[in-house]
Amino acid sequence: MTVIDIPGSKSVTARALFLAAAAQGTTTLLRPLVSDDTEGFAEGLGSLGYVVRRESDAWHIEGRPAGPGADTADVYCRDGATTARFLPTLVAAGHGTYRFDASPQMRRRPLGPLSTALRTLGVDLRHGGKDGHHPLDVHAHGVKGGALTLDAGQSSQYLTALLMLGPLTAEGLDVTVTDLVSEPYVEITLAMMRSFGAEVTQEGRTYRVAPTGYRARTYGIEPDASTASYFFAAAALEPGRSVTVPGLGTGALQGDLGFVDVLRRMGADVEITDAGTTVRSTGTLRGLTVNMRDISDTMPTLAAIAPFADGPVRIEDVANTRVKECDRLDACAENLRRLGITVETGPDWIEIHPGTPTGPAEIATHGDHRIVMSFAVTALRTAGITFDDPGCVKKTFPDFHRVFDAFVHTP
């Protein structure tokens, strides 16, 4: 059995940085993810006047409940969706003028429902180019609060950003959601907010957040479940192989750990304990139809091993994957077809037929870290796979290629 230490969760690290910056006192984050996305978030906080001290295994953030220390700032969000969506929301509770921009990839990704919601709350937010996209300016003067309706059908990050803003408002916030994707990510948000002292209740589709502010604390970051999916998938694919990821078990916050339930349905042996999760190959992968709306970041992982199943693999209700770092549905289909696999797609689904992928082939990554890491699993059983941009894994796991290669070559 191979034991793999997976880096900290990107989703948890980003939320923790927001909450720490907003809290009264100094927060210490233990084992935060160190990647392009999280470093960009921390750099953005620094530009805004927050003090962030980074050590090798701990980051210390001096909170500013009244808002950024800088009256004006330019923040570059890189490729990070959490940075690009969370930081403009954070500064709205302060006072000053702040400009945000992002990479061409991030500029293409939608922000409109969050922009509309913030404007409903009285935030002076102006887009510098295409409405609903970066760049944008926030002329902040605090947020009174109130009630609003939100469509979070494209991204749960819109709801997360608003919920985290709630305790910083003068009167609290009520958010009623008309549509919601990736709901487990909202559960992460609620659990973390409460651990920093917030009071949040939910009645049906309405979330009520009291104007409590936040309290600093020491907070440990759990391993990234989305990143772990590549190792779990590899273990399920390769006969005789098993992998254990410690620190990602029954108490995990992240819904993407649910990917191992998909592997179990396909025939893998899965054990989840308080200490961690183990996946073992049984030598069989069965075809299936699965709804991945709640764990859509692991859709490419499943697509990458789907050809090796004994029947078609159909993944449904994943329309939101078309507005990620790239159109992941089309990217997965394109690359599987390059490998000689029969694939069909629709607006929110992909169906992959059994077959033997054949190389050599260069995978078109579209600058998307998850395409690289997913098809690295396919490469275990397919000679000659290369990537046009292998380095884009720096977004969430800069050391992926070394760690995955060491895993592959461990008996």
Side-chain angles (χ1 to χ4, degrees):
M1 179 188 300
T2 304
V3 176
I4 296 288
D5 288 317
I6 298 294
S9 164
K10 180 189 75 167
S11 300
V12 174
T13 301
R15 285 161 175 77
L17 285 169
F18 181 113
L19 298 171
Q24 180 68 52
T26 298
T27 291
T28 296
L29 305 183
L30 304 176
R31 302 176 301 279
L33 172 65
V34 180
S35 72
D36 193 66
D37 269 15
T38 57
E39 289 182 331
F41 200 120
E43 181 182 281
L45 287 175
S47 298
L48 293 166
Y50 295 91
V51 175
V52 181
R53 293 181 289 109
R54 287 183 270 178
E55 300 174 355
S56 59
D57 59 352
W59 290 1
H60 310 278
I61 301 94
E62 295 180 17
R64 296 187 56 87
D71 293 331
T72 62
D74 289 334
V75 177
Y76 183 63
C77 301
R78 305 189 190 182
D79 289 335
T82 49
T83 308
R85 293 163 178 168
F86 293 177
L87 287 186
T89 307
L90 173 66
V91 303
H95 293 79
T97 300
Y98 309 101
R99 185 175 191 277
F100 297 86
D101 203 353
S103 69
Q105 183 190 68
M106 188 59 226
R107 278 188 172 198
R108 291 191 295 270
R109 299 181 67 179
L111 189 71
L114 178 59
S115 300
T116 299
L118 289 171
R119 287 168 174 159
T120 300
L121 293 172
V123 177
D124 184 354
L125 185 153
R126 307 170 192 176
H127 289 281
K130 183 180 179 182
D131 196 51
H133 295 262
H134 279 272
L136 61 90
D137 294 324
V138 178
H139 302 272
H141 49 80
V143 180
K144 180 180 177 182
L148 59 86
T149 300
L150 175 73
D151 182 348
Q154 284 183 323
S155 174
S156 64
Q157 289 177 2
Y158 306 151
L159 177 57
T160 281
L162 292 167
L163 291 175
M164 292 195 298
L165 172 65
L168 305 178
T169 64
E171 298 179 359
L173 195 60
D174 286 6
V175 185
T176 299
V177 181
T178 58
D179 192 17
L180 178 60
V181 71
S182 303
E183 188 170 359
Y185 282 92
V186 178
E187 296 302 319
I188 296 174
T189 304
L190 297 176
M192 293 184 65
M193 287 174 62
R194 289 169 180 140
S195 73
F196 278 80
E199 295 177 9
V200 192
T201 59
Q202 181 180 356
E203 297 177 13
R205 288 272 183 156
T206 298
Y207 299 82
R208 292 190 167 89
V209 189
T212 56
Y214 294 108
R215 296 187 298 274
R217 55 162 298 171
T218 297
Y219 193 88
I221 308 296
E222 68 186 31
D224 194 294
S226 307
T227 298
S229 74
Y230 313 113
F231 297 87
F232 291 142
L237 179 63
E238 292 285 88
R241 183 173 287 279
S242 66
V243 66
T244 295
V245 175
L248 196 62
T250 51
L253 294 175
Q254 298 162 82
D256 275 5
L257 183 57
F259 179 73
V260 299
D261 294 325
V262 179
L263 295 177
R264 181 188 281 120
R265 287 179 58 192
M266 296 180 77
D269 181 28
V270 176
E271 181 182 7
I272 305 176
T273 69
D274 290 343
T277 297
T278 299
V279 173
R280 302 178 183 87
S281 171
T282 62
T284 299
L285 281 180
R286 294 189 292 268
L288 81 171
T289 296
V290 58
N291 185 309
M292 298 189 81
R293 179 181 180 87
D294 285 342
I295 56 170
S296 59
D297 273 352
T298 63
M299 180 277 290
T301 320
L302 180 56
I305 63 170
F308 305 104
D310 63 7
V313 171
R314 183 180 174 92
I315 305 169
E316 298 180 336
D317 207 1
V318 286
N320 70 309
T321 63
R322 291 192 179 277
V323 291
K324 296 286 189 175
E325 283 80 347
C326 70
D327 183 331
R328 287 179 178 162
L329 270 178
D330 280 356
C332 287
E334 167 196 5
N335 286 306
L336 288 168
R337 288 172 184 140
R338 287 187 180 193
L339 296 169
I341 301 302
T342 299
V343 183
E344 294 140 26
T345 61
D348 66 347
W349 59 270
I350 182 170
E351 185 165 319
I352 302 153
H353 293 262
T356 302
T358 56
E362 182 178 73
I363 299 300
T365 66
H366 302 279
D368 190 331
H369 56 134
R370 300 213 181 280
I371 299 299
V372 176
M373 292 188 280
S374 296
F375 280 89
V377 183
T378 312
L380 295 176
R381 299 267 293 268
T382 309
I385 284 183
T386 58
F387 301 95
D388 63 7
D389 184 11
C392 67
V393 296
K394 71 180 186 297
K395 180 177 175 68
T396 51
F397 194 175
D399 210 19
F400 171 78
H401 294 292
R402 184 193 65 80
V403 174
F404 194 73
D405 185 66
F407 164 69
V408 169
H409 289 96
T410 300

